Amino acid sequence: MKQEWMTVFKSVVTYALTLGSLIFLLYLSALVPEAAIYPNLESSALALLEEDPKAMVVENSYHSMKDNYADAVLLGVIANVSSEAPYYTMIITRYYDGEEYGEAYGVYARIHGTPSNTDYTRYWHGSMAVLRPLLAVTDLDGIKVVTAVTMILCYGLLCVMLVRKKMVPLAVMFLLSLLSVQVWYVPHSVEFAITFVIMGVITPLYVRFYKEDDKLILLSVISGCVTAFADFLTTETITLLVPLLLVYGMREEEGLNKSFRGNVFHLIKNGAAYLVAYAMTFVTKWCLAGSL
């Protein structure tokens, strides 16, 4: 019982440190001057205006559809953040919807002085912590390249770790799972890529500590917090289920899995840690917004 309470205490501390660090990074990103990001925001908006909000990477291939609409909204939120009022504008997140001209035009109009007219405060939009500094050096297309490279490096590292642990079948299964969802289309939309990047970063840590239950729970807390902070309801389950399935496979390979009941309990514990952290991250945002 004492050990369980210690795990709960560590989870609470881990959650507080994780969310506190994320908020601090978001605040730092809000300090980036608008003059530094507006040129790339403008070129990104103009590029989006040339495409359909639901453009397809491959013509007549529905599964290759991008979500330019969501990317335009995210850029609109970023455009509304002011380095002169960083805390307020990073918490009270708004954008200009472009009215009949659409969200991509809204980004262009916002950086040219049109006030925001749409509230989107219910989400953190925490990906701004990375995207806003990146916009100081590149546009949306460049960010997509950075995203693709990051995914390749993370997934490559994961496969190398599995191979070095002589878990080649698991590495192959992981690669096949990526192929099955045609992962090469993911970086074409920043919205879709967010959770795939989080999954790519967190999963190697699960693989590193696959034997240590307490550390896995802490990782689940971190994953739930980061996912709620950065994503807005896309494919968030992959940031928990993919690493846990690999952990299960590694344990099965080494004969470390317990009874069926024990495996289910292990899944429930990690799932609960993830869900509580995920929910509390949203609650924290709403409380902070309500205080302003």
Side-chain angles (χ1 to χ4, degrees), residues 111-163:
I111 63 180
H112 285 281
T114 303
S116 297
N117 65 352
T118 305
D119 184 83
Y120 215 179
T121 301
R122 63 183 179 274
Y123 299 112
W124 273 101
H125 307 286
S127 59
M128 291 191 295
V130 176
L131 298 180
R132 190 173 169 91
L134 281 176
L135 282 167
V137 295
T138 188
D139 59 9
L140 184 62
D141 287 337
I143 289 173
K144 291 176 180 179
V145 172
V146 172
T147 299
V149 171
T150 302
M151 289 169 58
I152 291 171
L153 291 176
C154 289
Y155 300 160
L157 171 63
L158 175 59
C159 289
V160 168
M161 292 177 67
L162 290 171
V163 170

Side-chain angles (χ1 to χ4, degrees), residues 4 7-8 10-11 14 206 209 212-223 244 265-266 269-274 277:
E4 292 177 353
T7 300
V8 171
K10 290 180 179 178
S11 297
T14 298
Y206 276 83
F209 299 109
E212 304 178 52
D213 286 2
D214 289 350
K215 290 183 179 179
L216 292 178
I217 290 176
L218 298 184
L219 286 174
S220 295
V221 169
I222 294 171
S223 185
L244 284 184
F265 188 55
H266 178 260
K269 286 194 298 183
N270 281 276
Y274 180 98

Side-chain angles (χ1 to χ4, degrees), residues 182-200:
Q182 299 182 321
V183 72
W184 49 86
Y185 291 127
V186 171
H188 287 281
S189 296
V190 173
E191 179 207 11
F192 295 155
I194 292 170
T195 49
F196 277 82
V197 170
I198 296 172
M199 182 265 285

